[in-house]
Amino acid sequence: EGLRDAGVGGVEITPIYGVRGADPAFLPFLSDQWVQMLEHTLREANRLDLGVDMATGTGWPFGGPWVDDASSARTLAHKTWTLDQGERLTEPVRLRQAPLLRAVGSMPAPGSPGGTRPVQIADLIEPVTANPNLQALALDQVRFGRDLPLVVLMARSQTGSAVDVTARVGRDGALDWIAPAGRWTLDALFLGWHGKMVERAAPGGEGPVIDHFSRSAIRGYLARFDRAFSGHSTTGLRAFFNDSYEVDDASGQGDGTPALLEAFQERRGYDLRQYLPALFGRDTEERNRRVLADYRETISDLLLETFTAEWGSWAHGRRALVRNQAHGAPASLLDLYAASDVPETEGEEISRFKWATSAGHVAGRRLISAEAATWLGEHFRSTLADVRADVDRFFVAGVNHIVYHGTAYSPDNEPWPGRQFYAAVEFNPRNAWWDDFSALNRYVGRVQSFLQAGRPDTDVLLYYPLYDQLAVRGSALLAHFGGANEPQTGTTFEKAGALMQRRGFTYDYLSDRQLRSTRIDGGRLRTSGGGQYRVLILPSSTFIPLDTFERVLTLARSGAIVLSLDGWPADVAGLGDLETRRQRFQRAAAGVRFGPADADGISDARHGTGRILRGGDLERLLTRAGVAREPMVDASLQFARRIDSGGRRYFVSNDTDRTVDGFVPLDVRNGDLTLFDPMHGSRGKALVRRAPSGTLEVFLHLPPRESLIVAAGSSTSEPEYPWYRPAGAAATIAGSWTIHFVKGGPTVPPERTVQQLGSWTAFGGEDLKAFSGTAEYRVNFPRPRQTVDAWQLDLGRVHESARVRLNGRELGTLLGPTFTIAIDPAQFSDVNVLEVAVTNLSANRIADLDRRAPSWKKFYNVNVAARLPENRGADGLFTAAKWLPLDSGLIGPVTLTPLSRRAAPAR
């Protein structure tokens, strides 16, 4: 009910680790009692008109106690020997897995009452799920010492001939084989156990992570949910959720699966056993790269075709969607995201968000979500303005469905601050700014109403040369994509995306699989999901699949405009049937006849009914192809653009520290423009003038971190949007301010009156330094004398949010960093009462709590980790004990400035 009242639209249930001392109350995951609680939650959500999603597991990634050795994540291992003619291998063909343990938790230290010590691998028994007190142990990765199963043993001569001698290996590991003439290398491939455990697992959810590349593994995993749900109703569950891949943020990689060799042969057309030296980088450089890329492509296919497809099919059978975080996976992210009903991203960089938003646009997904506001800053120090800035960054990247991260459910009788999740901003009623949270949610709801309507209005498809990345040998067999720390290597693709983002071109990434289903319709590129684009960019690369290259040329022949940036790809990808495919590629490339380069360095080739433009300057290529940019980026504005039957819709954000005030050009030529302020709900006809280029310019006044919706249409009957300019000097509202502390803690200070505004932490008294909550400021002032169109109320410095009321009428909630609002002169009386309810952060209260050192950090697993090292205590946990009081309250000065309306310019 609290979430509903705050304007939240729904919840995602992700069970995580428990609270120390509350063990008797734990509800084991998927137990009958747990599922009954799920049913109750769904009924309540339906009553409150809230949506409910549910993680298909606890913590992350998928896994649990019912995942056994046969279905858990696997890892490849290899060993080599050399033999000369006539020699026999004297040691057994065997590889023993070294024991390994990574754990967050601890166990009691013998002889030390109340003391603990780190967990050792010798403390554990097999299987790992048989160990008691798994919540306290908090195991991240466990490998027991054991002999690994042999997959294949290949003997390879110096002349290149290879023999499979696996069948000659006995149960004792002895090889019954004598080396023929020459020198021979024996390559043994073993399949080990990765040992990754579910991170941050809930009670009853502790166990190994599944093999993401095995169809039987995901089917067996999901069957446990079918058994748990049997006899229960999950009606009302909107979606199942996957919280990212994250298998390999551990020691070693989950880079194998029992069916790998068969899957490779089926998909790549040759036998990987014949090329084990190349897989491990011991062949020619070219063969090493091609075999490695083929192996990684096979893994990518399996992750899509087994885990992602099977999970989606299972969810759809339960009349639910899948919401999927694909980033970090060793696969084509665009294909994984496109296979999801609701692609979901997270992080801080727009270039990272584009993987999910591009795939969603190309696949025609109505919703593209973001795990938003994860660990924005240190605990208890994130403002609602910080959250809004984070949300806006997702909006301009194409996200239209915000999922806050997050809150831990806390019983009513839990002392403040209640139960906490270490990586969350804590969107719950314990947070001091909770009462102002609804203002942010109204804002998000208004923006999303625009960004979920119509379709993306995007001009450019930028092909992603995946195979160049698959062929780069790093420190491990697999390559992972879309992660927070993925290196930027300066490829043509990366440079093209960065330029288009910087220069205001609209673009989406495109995969090989997505390109194969793209067609030409009315001269536009149309993707399988209905996305429409003007041009396709084919950036230079080392490798490209033959069918991708041929598809590009087919699209051009059918009328597409293709931009060949920095030249054709150099060669076909993969090893199988290489020479035949290479010859087809060369013939196809030679069939495109480019004319001589012009003064802009652009060569033009007519190809069928389409065109191929080749050059090294992307902006010139786009201009030549008739693609316009949005010049508003020159004023450091960011935007998202969509289109519906009425015309273009822009979300415009000023993510800078300076105010943008003036006419801003749009790529719109006709019609009226309407402005919508999603924060305060005001709307009106925009002030517009025509630029020399023939496009329209719209007047915008955007203070730092503010945003507007600009909607184009044929005509509007809206009154003009109320833009003002100062009509005189600002005057300070002087007088006695009464400060009434309304709610918060640890204690509520008494009311006081001050003549000079300032931080309430400086008013004197330890209670004020420790107080986090809301105080209402009240002052009386006379009617302003000047006759003007409006008055601007400026609160000056505010820490951190403010609800403003004049003469008993609500004016609005201001989240900052700018705290101004326009007032109609008719709202003034002869004597006026201004009331400002200001809420600070919870930081001062938590600092006071930590100095008094009560035991509020009582959670299993990571407990409450510090984001910044300077806030880490002697016990390794977060502490605010050293924090000085943060400025709090209405600091001002509070002023009134006379305003006059801006007149519409001549058109």
Side-chain angles (χ1 to χ4, degrees):
E1 290 173 348
L3 290 167
R4 187 273 314 273
D5 293 345
V8 173
V11 295
E12 165 207 313
I13 302 170
T14 298
I16 55 166
Y17 50 82
V19 179
R20 295 181 186 274
D23 305 60
F26 288 171
L27 301 182
F29 182 58
L30 293 186
S31 65
D32 194 62
Q33 190 180 9
W34 193 96
V35 179
Q36 289 178 28
M37 281 294 193
L38 174 63
E39 289 182 293
H40 171 74
T41 301
L42 292 170
R43 288 192 298 270
E44 284 295 287
N46 180 67
R47 178 178 69 86
L48 299 169
D49 194 26
L50 298 178
V52 179
D53 294 355
M54 171 185 162
T56 320
T58 78
W60 58 90
F62 286 10
W66 61 94
V67 176
D68 58 15
D69 278 355
S71 57
S72 64
R74 308 301 291 273
T75 184
L76 296 178
H78 71 285
K79 189 174 181 179
T80 62
W81 299 267
T82 56
L83 296 177
D84 288 322
Q85 178 178 346
E87 288 186 336
R88 182 190 297 269
L89 188 63
T90 57
E91 64 177 281
V93 179
R94 185 174 295 146
L95 186 61
R96 188 162 183 81
Q97 179 172 272
L100 172 70
L101 175 67
R102 296 170 65 246
V104 177
S106 58
M107 61 189 310
S112 176
T116 61
R117 65 171 178 81
V119 188
Q120 306 293 326
I121 189 69
D123 297 324
L124 304 181
I125 60 174
E126 293 191 65
V128 68
T129 52
N131 291 276
N133 206 11
L134 289 172
Q135 281 290 292
L137 296 178
L139 306 174
D140 271 359
Q141 189 176 17
V142 180
R143 290 182 187 164
F144 295 106
R146 57 173 74 167
D147 289 337
L148 301 182
L150 176 67
V151 177
V152 65
L153 179 65
M154 297 295 296
R156 188 180 184 88
S157 71
Q158 286 181 312
T159 60
S161 59
V163 181
D164 186 343
V165 295
T166 312
R168 308 293 292 271
V169 180
R171 290 187 176 181
D172 60 356
L175 175 61
D176 181 20
W177 184 78
I178 299 173
R183 188 169 180 82
W184 292 75
T185 299
L186 295 173
D187 282 291
L189 187 65
F190 300 88
L191 193 60
W193 289 271
H194 183 250
K196 172 78 172 184
M197 303 284 287
V198 177
E199 282 191 57
R200 321 302 181 231
E206 310 95 334
V209 165
I210 67 165
D211 177 355
H212 282 71
F213 315 126
S214 165
R215 181 170 279 108
S216 62
I218 184 61
R219 286 180 174 176
Y221 178 78
L222 295 172
R224 175 69 182 88
F225 290 83
D226 290 331
R227 293 192 297 272
F229 292 158
S230 178
H232 297 279
S233 173
T234 58
T235 300
L237 188 65
R238 183 190 74 149
F240 289 96
F241 172 61
N242 173 42
D243 192 353
S244 67
Y245 179 77
E246 296 192 47
V247 176
D248 297 329
D249 56 346
S251 177
Q253 290 192 306
D255 51 18
T257 189
L260 174 63
L261 295 179
E262 293 78 8
F264 187 97
Q265 175 98 45
E266 178 184 348
R267 289 163 176 78
R268 308 284 84 83
Y270 66 96
D271 189 349
L272 181 60
R273 290 173 293 187
Q274 301 289 329
Y275 295 92
L276 292 181
L279 178 62
F280 296 108
R282 299 196 336 265
D283 208 318
T284 65
E285 182 58 25
E286 181 179 22
R287 194 171 291 163
N288 288 345
R289 298 177 71 190
R290 291 182 179 277
V291 171
L292 179 66
D294 282 342
Y295 155 76
R296 289 173 171 174
E297 184 185 4
T298 302
I299 289 291
S300 178
D301 290 345
L302 290 175
L303 186 55
L304 174 64
E305 297 166 12
T306 60
F307 172 80
T308 307
E310 289 285 339
W311 173 53
S313 177
W314 173 84
H316 295 164
R318 292 196 159 274
R319 299 183 179 179
L321 306 173
V322 293
R323 215 180 87 231
N324 186 24
Q325 294 183 359
H327 44 270
S332 169
L333 295 191
L334 295 172
D335 295 333
L336 297 182
Y337 277 131
S340 310
D341 299 306
V342 184
E344 178 162 300
T345 185
E346 62 175 314
E348 298 178 356
E349 307 85 10
I350 291 176
S351 60
R352 183 183 182 189
F353 307 156
K354 292 291 289 188
W355 298 104
T357 59
S358 294
H361 292 167
V362 168
R365 302 295 178 238
R366 189 178 74 86
L367 299 178
I368 303 168
S369 59
E371 175 191 305
T374 305
W375 268 42
L376 281 186
E378 190 53 276
H379 299 290
F380 308 101
R381 298 189 78 151
S382 294
T383 69
L384 289 170
D386 293 334
V387 177
R388 178 183 175 181
D390 188 70
V391 165
D392 283 355
R393 194 175 305 114
F394 286 113
F395 284 153
V396 298
V399 168
N400 62 5
H401 184 34
I402 295 299
V403 182
Y404 294 123
H405 192 281
T407 185
Y409 171 73
S410 200
D412 288 342
N413 61 358
E414 192 85 15
W416 191 89
R419 299 182 179 180
Q420 303 285 315
F421 177 53
Y422 76 98
V425 169
E426 299 302 335
F427 294 91
N428 66 55
R430 309 296 182 97
N431 204 318
W433 45 243
W434 177 257
D435 289 344
D436 292 341
F437 183 36
S438 58
L440 177 63
N441 291 327
R442 286 192 295 272
Y443 167 79
V444 171
R446 288 165 178 152
V447 175
Q448 289 185 167
S449 71
F450 283 92
L451 296 184
Q452 291 175 11
R455 61 173 174 81
D457 184 16
T458 312
D459 290 326
V460 180
L461 282 172
L462 174 60
Y463 166 72
Y464 176 55
L466 172 65
Y467 294 86
D468 276 17
Q469 302 305 311
L470 295 181
V472 176
R473 188 174 297 274
S475 58
L477 271 182
L478 291 180
H480 299 265
F481 303 97
N485 299 314
E486 188 176 347
Q488 300 296 303
T489 56
T491 64
T492 302
F493 168 84
E494 290 170 347
K495 292 177 182 178
L499 180 138
M500 288 190 289
Q501 185 67 39
R502 185 174 66 251
R503 296 291 290 157
F505 292 98
T506 56
Y507 65 100
D508 284 324
Y509 304 152
L510 186 74
S511 75
D512 295 273
R513 191 183 299 263
Q514 293 166 331
L515 179 58
R516 288 196 291 269
S517 60
T518 299
R519 57 189 175 86
I520 291 295
D521 183 6
R524 292 289 185 106
L525 291 149
R526 187 181 291 270
T527 62
S528 60
Q532 299 180 44
Y533 301 84
R534 296 175 62 87
V535 301
L536 168 67
I537 299 175
L538 185 66
S540 65
S541 60
T542 302
F543 299 117
I544 189 171
L546 176 62
D547 58 352
T548 296
F549 186 71
E550 291 179 335
R551 183 61 182 166
V552 170
L553 298 186
T554 297
L555 290 171
R557 280 195 298 271
S558 302
I561 299 176
V562 175
L563 308 184
S564 173
L565 181 60
D566 287 343
W568 289 134
D571 205 349
V572 291
L575 182 65
D577 198 20
L578 178 58
E579 288 309 314
T580 299
R581 292 185 299 112
R582 181 176 279 162
Q583 290 172 13
R584 281 178 55 187
F585 169 76
Q586 292 169 347
R587 286 197 300 269
V592 179
R593 307 290 186 181
F594 288 101
D598 61 16
D600 290 331
I602 297 174
S603 301
D604 194 338
R606 295 286 176 175
H607 198 68
T609 58
R611 297 172 66 195
I612 302 175
L613 303 175
R614 184 171 65 188
D617 188 318
L618 178 56
E619 187 160 355
R620 289 180 175 178
L621 284 170
L622 290 168
T623 301
R624 184 68 59 84
V627 179
R629 69 187 190 96
E630 293 288 354
M632 74 172 78
V633 297
D634 298 341
S636 298
L637 296 176
Q638 297 180 320
F639 69 96
R641 196 176 75 186
R642 296 180 70 86
I643 192 169
D644 62 18
S645 58
R648 282 184 164 164
R649 306 287 188 259
Y650 293 84
F651 170 76
V652 183
S653 171
N654 178 15
D655 187 26
T656 72
D657 293 324
R658 63 179 182 82
T659 296
V660 173
D661 184 89
F663 282 90
V664 173
L666 302 177
D667 185 25
V668 175
R669 293 188 171 273
N670 296 298
D672 287 339
L673 300 178
T674 304
L675 301 183
F676 299 84
D677 177 358
M679 178 54 73
H680 302 293
S682 56
R683 57 191 287 167
K685 185 176 180 180
L687 301 183
V688 174
R689 71 184 185 190
R690 191 167 297 280
S693 63
T695 59
L696 300 182
E697 295 182 341
V698 59
F699 179 82
L700 299 179
H701 177 83
L702 281 176
R705 308 294 186 271
E706 293 294 326
S707 62
L708 282 172
I709 302 289
V710 183
S714 56
S715 64
T716 179
S717 58
E718 293 276 353
E720 288 188 353
Y721 191 87
W723 288 125
Y724 300 99
R725 57 164 53 96
T732 300
I733 295 179
S736 297
W737 289 85
T738 301
I739 307 175
H740 173 61
F741 292 89
V742 179
K743 61 182 294 188
T747 61
V748 178
E751 183 175 287
R752 65 186 57 223
T753 300
V754 299
Q755 301 300 317
Q756 182 68 42
L757 292 173
S759 173
W760 69 54
T761 60
F763 289 165
E766 294 303 313
D767 59 340
L768 286 162
K769 293 179 180 177
F771 178 74
S772 290
T774 301
E776 288 186 352
Y777 291 71
R778 180 186 175 110
V779 69
N780 296 340
F781 66 96
R783 182 194 300 272
R785 296 180 180 178
Q786 190 172 344
T787 301
V788 293
D789 293 325
W791 290 87
Q792 177 176 277
L793 175 68
D794 188 340
L795 300 181
R797 280 180 60 197
V798 176
H799 293 284
E800 296 296 331
S801 56
R803 297 191 304 278
V804 185
R805 189 164 53 202
L806 178 65
N807 299 327
R809 178 176 178 178
E810 297 286 342
L811 297 185
T813 300
L814 305 176
L815 306 182
T818 302
F819 294 88
T820 62
I821 195 163
I823 302 174
D824 187 327
Q827 293 182 240
F828 289 112
S829 303
D830 290 339
V831 177
N832 300 278
V833 180
L834 176 66
E835 297 167 289
V836 184
V838 179
T839 302
N840 69 340
L841 296 175
S842 294
N844 291 348
R845 185 174 181 181
I846 204 68
D848 172 74
L849 189 61
D850 272 343
R851 282 191 286 271
R852 292 187 281 111
S855 181
W856 69 273
K857 286 163 274 191
K858 55 187 179 182
F859 313 105
Y860 284 122
N861 211 295
V862 295
N863 208 333
V864 182
R867 183 169 177 82
L868 302 174
E870 59 264 31
N871 298 323
R872 189 175 299 128
D875 58 1
L877 301 179
F878 162 80
T879 178
K882 296 180 181 179
W883 288 358
L884 297 175
L886 297 181
D887 284 346
S888 301
L890 180 59
I891 297 176
V894 179
T895 62
L896 281 172
T897 302
L899 302 175
S900 61
R901 285 192 78 116
R902 294 179 184 264
R907 298 186 65 169

